[in-house]
Amino acid sequence: MSEPKSCTLFDKIWDSHVIERFSDGTCLLYIDRHLVHEVTSPQAFEGLRMARRRVRRPDLTIAVIDHNVPTSNRQAGIAEEDSRIQIETLERNCRDFGVPFIPVLDVRQGIVHIIGPELGISLPGSTIVCGDSHTSTHGALGALAFGIGTSEVEHVLATQTLLQKPAKNMKVEVKGSLPFGTYAKDLVLAIIGKIGTAGGTGHVIEYAGEAVRSLDMAGRMTVCNMSIEAGARAGLIAPDETTFDWIKGRPCAPKAEAWDEAVRYWRTLASDPGAHYDKIVQLDATEIAPLVTWGTSPETVLPINGSVPDPDEAGDDGRRAQMRRMLDYMGLAPGTRMQDIRVDVVFIGSCTNSRIEDLRAAAAVAKGRKVAPDVRAMVVPGSGLVKQQAEVEGLDRIFTEAGFEWREAGCSMCLGMNPDRLSAGQRCASTSNRNFEGRQGPGGRTHLLSPAMAAAAAIHGRLTDVRQMA
Amino acid sequence: MEKFTRLTALAAPLDLANVDTDKIIPARFLKTIKRSGLGIHLFDTLRYNENEQERPEFVLNQEPFRGAQILIADENFGCGSSREHAVWALVDFGIRCVIAPSFADIFYNNSFKNGLLPVRLPRPQCEKLMQAARMGANARITVDLERQIVSTPRGEEFSFDIDPFRRHLLLEGLDDIGQTLQHASRIESYEAARRARERWYPPITA
Ligand code: SF4
């Protein structure tokens, strides 16, 4: 008799969703949750209409508007015409196809990856997809969650399934605990700095180890969110008591006996001892310092007390040329101390760092202080519910008294698709996930960091070591 | 999706290597809500000058190539971003088949999802087809998917390889969705089994 196979968390979720396995290894995979937003869905609904198809399971689908919405003065409507058309189109599509929809002025509106977990829609052991690469965020709950293209959005709408080949298993194990002044954001930046932006290609990363276990759910979501920046298809963290406590009582979560049954099942999901990983990476959390990026790739991380690297010291010509181009775009000279870099804008928000815990960390730094003159600092909660909670706690007043803008929920300055944009040459300390050229607006320069570090940068008008502000 | 069995049509010669998705459809046209209507922006920067007037030297601005349904190109066609808009723009213009020595992976896969047949042929054969295409109106090229053969106006035949599953879908006019829906009963029995096993699993309510 053969031993029962030792499975990873990924294997377990995958296997329990396979409907059909084809000879070339492609699987027909069942999808439990489909999150829809305005940018990648219009052509999918159009395709359904043209083929006279319906949405197979509207009850497993939810739509929200996030990328295009302005984050102030919402009652006035949406000025940019193509944004307005995308938004109105999603509303109409949801009406026509019976898909649950959260309107712009609803308190539950927010970034799709914030509201899924917040409303109890994203559950452990589920397959979750969305036409957006940062769907990896939901992996923090122990769900297999990944981004898909528009044809696939249409495929899921029509069939509630996807054709996929299984990914490989990778484990990132972080021992020790995070030192004072460092957060989940520093942890994930450290991981990306170590394995590189292609380090996870073809893999699903399972994060494990003491440092990951001791993160709260917000921190776990920050880590899984940026899995895609390490090239991975998805990120995963095994569900545990922290997960269950966090989900319990959320609007769409199972209730009463259903809840007990759910938790019993969720407890079986953790990877088996001896499960096989194609790749294992180990890190020591105690060695992590507050991190900042200096270039136009998320792997270009440095401790805040470091200095801009010199391309002449790069190992090969290709790398040297690449570093030169990055420094040129970023307007930085080699050897500049990171703490001497002045910023024009500070953005606290995005699906990486706009949960209540992130806002608390930033507010703790901002409290009783003032934003430096000439710095524009904005706080954009991830959802209307986060905003409401922050206002109950008085965080909004801490921010506004310090000179931060307090805005409505949305993707905002994470990407230049709505009115919140950098102008050419502006430098921004940002809690978002991508520092690509032009990501926050054409010519804009982005330094990625944690919410506490972002608040510190706002107060001093330059990148600052938050540990010195305690 | 329209079936693809056998197509005899005019072919436009596009003698360029590494035609990237930005060339096929520039990023500024991505804020659209439709997959139709992009044909007018196909090859936008090659096709129009700064004043949005047609460049007469570009092949698709010339008669009879405005009505071409086949495109002959050089190496690495469709490289760059993953945007499906590139395929949508070609299809909307009326192109049903692109013949080239090689294609970028994502573009190649996206093509099948939208009824566009990408044909890989060795470079010397592509060159012959390119020459034939230049003859214009009198030179129709035939692409026979059933026999996996491309024939020149003179009757020369080149056979090509294609994944049997992809071929089947095109011949039947099934897109991935149509194909999956053939398994509808399996999806239903999976759903029933899940309902029995995970009775607690909640629907989404808004
Ligand atoms: S916040 Fe940024 S990364 Fe997240 S979904 Fe919006 S645009 Fe994408």
Side-chain angles (χ1 to χ4, degrees), chain A residues 66-67 111-113 132 134 225 350-352 410-412 414-415 432-433 439:
Chain A
D66 54 7
H67 285 64
I111 306 170
V112 63
H113 309 308
D132 187 281
H134 289 98
N225 174 275
S350 89
C351 57
T352 314
C411 292
S412 185
C414 176
L415 91 172
S432 57
N433 44 50
R439 168 77 178 182

Side-chain angles (χ1 to χ4, degrees), chain A residues 63-141:
Chain A
V64 70
I65 285 157
D66 54 7
H67 285 64
N68 274 305
V69 278
T71 57
S72 64
N73 199 15
R74 275 209 183 142
Q75 311 290 342
I78 288 144
E80 294 185 41
E81 195 190 354
D82 43 10
S83 293
R84 196 180 62 238
I85 291 174
Q86 277 195 335
I87 291 170
E88 289 168 355
T89 303
L90 181 59
E91 275 182 37
R92 200 190 52 240
N93 284 333
C94 288
R95 219 172 27 240
D96 291 356
F97 288 91
V99 170
F101 173 73
I102 299 177
V104 177
L105 296 177
D106 192 305
V107 68
R108 298 165 305 165
Q109 180 272 339
I111 306 170
V112 63
H113 309 308
I114 302 288
I115 69 153
E118 182 173 79
L119 298 177
I121 291 167
S122 312
L123 297 173
S126 303
T127 47
I128 303 176
V129 296
C130 173
D132 187 281
S133 56
H134 289 98
T135 310
S136 59
T137 313
H138 311 256
L141 294 115

Side-chain angles (χ1 to χ4, degrees), chain B residues 115-134:
Chain B
L116 178 74
L117 172 65
V119 172
R120 288 192 196 108
L121 281 178
R123 156 163 267 209
Q125 301 185 351
C126 284
E127 278 165 9
K128 278 198 181 145
L129 290 168
M130 193 85 76
Q131 276 167 13
R134 287 204 185 93

Side-chain angles (χ1 to χ4, degrees), chain A residues 37-367:
Chain A
H37 66 89
E38 76 277 18
V39 179
T40 51
S41 65
Q43 287 90 353
F45 283 109
E46 187 201 18
L48 290 186
R49 254 192 211 99
M50 288 185 336
R52 295 177 196 288
R53 287 174 177 139
R54 62 192 177 91
V55 174
R56 183 186 170 84
R57 294 293 303 269
D59 60 325
L60 301 182
T61 313
I62 188 153
V64 70
I65 285 157
D66 54 7
H67 285 64
N68 274 305
V69 278
T71 57
S72 64
N73 199 15
R74 275 209 183 142
Q75 311 290 342
I78 288 144
E80 294 185 41
E81 195 190 354
D82 43 10
S83 293
R84 196 180 62 238
I85 291 174
Q86 277 195 335
I87 291 170
E88 289 168 355
T89 303
L90 181 59
E91 275 182 37
R92 200 190 52 240
N93 284 333
C94 288
R95 219 172 27 240
D96 291 356
F97 288 91
V99 170
F101 173 73
I102 299 177
V104 177
L105 296 177
D106 192 305
V107 68
R108 298 165 305 165
Q109 180 272 339
I111 306 170
V112 63
H113 309 308
I114 302 288
I115 69 153
E118 182 173 79
L119 298 177
I121 291 167
S122 312
L123 297 173
S126 303
T127 47
I128 303 176
V129 296
C130 173
D132 187 281
S133 56
H134 289 98
T135 310
S136 59
T137 313
H138 311 256
L141 294 115
L144 176 60
F146 52 90
I148 55 178
T150 296
S151 276
E152 292 174 312
V153 169
E154 185 182 339
H155 195 278
V156 178
L157 288 172
T159 69
Q160 205 56 35
T161 68
L162 261 185
L163 290 162
Q164 291 279 308
K165 285 196 175 150
K168 285 190 253 176
N169 280 291
M170 174 167 177
K171 176 149 89 171
V172 171
E173 203 163 21
V174 194
K175 66 171 187 190
S177 48
L178 283 168
F180 168 72
T182 61
Y183 300 84
K185 183 62 163 284
D186 302 292
L187 174 55
V188 69
L189 286 173
I191 294 169
I192 298 165
K194 178 167 171 124
I195 69 177
T197 49
T201 305
H203 292 75
V204 165
I205 300 179
E206 181 180 343
Y207 300 94
E210 186 195 336
V212 174
R213 285 273 134 247
S214 52
L215 289 175
D216 60 15
M217 288 312 293
R220 293 180 186 190
M221 286 188 246
T222 301
V223 170
C224 286
N225 174 275
M226 290 192 73
S227 303
I228 195 79
E229 268 63 57
R233 281 248 53 203
L236 272 173
I237 295 175
D240 57 13
E241 296 311 314
T242 307
T243 323
F244 308 146
D245 288 348
W246 192 87
I247 297 172
K248 193 167 185 178
R250 294 191 177 264
C252 291
K255 308 256 156 26
E257 300 94 75
W259 170 259
D260 299 329
E261 239 182 286
V263 172
R264 251 196 310 281
Y265 172 61
W266 294 340
R267 285 191 210 283
T268 67
L269 292 171
S271 294
D272 298 327
H276 170 77
Y277 291 90
D278 302 278
K279 217 169 172 179
I280 297 181
V281 174
Q282 283 166 328
L283 262 81
D284 184 348
T286 60
E287 291 168 4
I288 294 173
L291 296 173
V292 198
T293 62
W294 58 265
T296 54
S297 159
E299 69 186 14
T300 58
V301 292
L302 270 181
I304 181 64
N305 47 17
S307 302
V308 175
D310 188 346
D312 286 340
E313 284 158 23
D316 63 88
D317 291 350
R319 179 73 191 144
R320 193 164 322 150
Q322 197 186 19
M323 284 173 71
R324 285 219 178 92
R325 201 175 55 239
M326 286 192 197
L327 290 182
D328 189 46
Y329 181 85
M330 291 298 290
L332 292 174
T336 309
R337 286 172 7 116
M338 293 308 285
Q339 300 195 61
D340 291 339
I341 298 175
R342 305 196 60 83
V343 299
D344 307 301
V345 178
V346 171
F347 171 60
I348 299 175
S350 89
C351 57
T352 314
N353 281 127
S354 62
R355 282 164 281 267
I356 188 70
E357 293 82 350
D358 300 314
L359 304 192
R360 286 181 194 139
V365 174
K367 189 167 187 171

Side-chain angles (χ1 to χ4, degrees), chain A residues 70-73 344-349 354 359 362-363 366 369-372 374-382 387 390-391 395-409 412-413 418-422 426 428 454-455 458-459:
Chain A
T71 57
S72 64
N73 199 15
D344 307 301
V345 178
V346 171
F347 171 60
I348 299 175
S354 62
L359 304 192
R369 295 184 164 114
K370 288 274 181 249
V371 169
D374 304 328
V375 171
R376 177 186 182 197
M378 51 203 284
V379 184
V380 186
K387 181 167 189 254
E391 288 171 357
L395 304 185
D396 59 322
R397 262 173 294 120
I398 295 179
F399 286 124
T400 48
E401 277 162 22
F404 288 82
E405 296 170 28
W406 178 246
R407 301 180 75 94
E408 305 284 345
S412 185
M413 208 185 264
N418 56 68
D420 304 340
R421 270 174 226 167
L422 293 181
Q426 273 191 326
C428 179
I459 304 301

Side-chain angles (χ1 to χ4, degrees), chain B residues 17-146:
Chain B
N18 302 311
V19 174
D20 61 54
T21 50
D22 258 297
K23 277 210 189 75
I24 301 175
I25 182 93
R28 64 181 181 281
F29 300 114
L30 304 190
K31 258 206 174 185
T32 167
I33 55 160
K34 291 187 173 303
R35 66 180 92 195
S36 54
L38 287 169
I40 186 165
H41 300 301
L42 176 69
F43 298 121
D44 199 83
T45 37
L46 296 170
R47 217 161 126 205
Y48 307 103
N49 66 17
E50 306 72 49
N51 305 320
E52 292 175 32
Q53 276 148 348
E54 287 190 357
R55 299 177 193 272
E57 70 279 13
F58 185 65
V59 60
L60 295 182
N61 291 332
Q62 298 162 1
E63 292 300 345
F65 299 115
R66 289 176 188 275
Q69 289 180 275
I70 301 171
L71 196 66
I72 322 274
D74 202 344
E75 303 277 356
N76 200 22
F77 188 85
C79 57
S81 89
S82 65
R83 69 185 66 145
E84 212 162 307
H85 301 68
V87 177
W88 298 340
L90 284 160
V91 170
D92 189 62
F93 181 86
I95 303 289
R96 299 228 48 213
C97 173
V98 182
I99 304 175
S102 61
F103 292 87
D105 267 352
I106 299 179
F107 178 88
Y108 190 80
N109 289 329
N110 283 344
S111 298
F112 290 103
K113 290 184 180 152
N114 294 280
L116 178 74
L117 172 65
V119 172
R120 288 192 196 108
L121 281 178
R123 156 163 267 209
Q125 301 185 351
C126 284
E127 278 165 9
K128 278 198 181 145
L129 290 168
M130 193 85 76
Q131 276 167 13
R134 287 204 185 93
M135 297 177 351
N138 301 324
R140 300 206 169 236
I141 286 174
T142 298
V143 182
D144 187 335
L145 181 58
E146 259 163 353

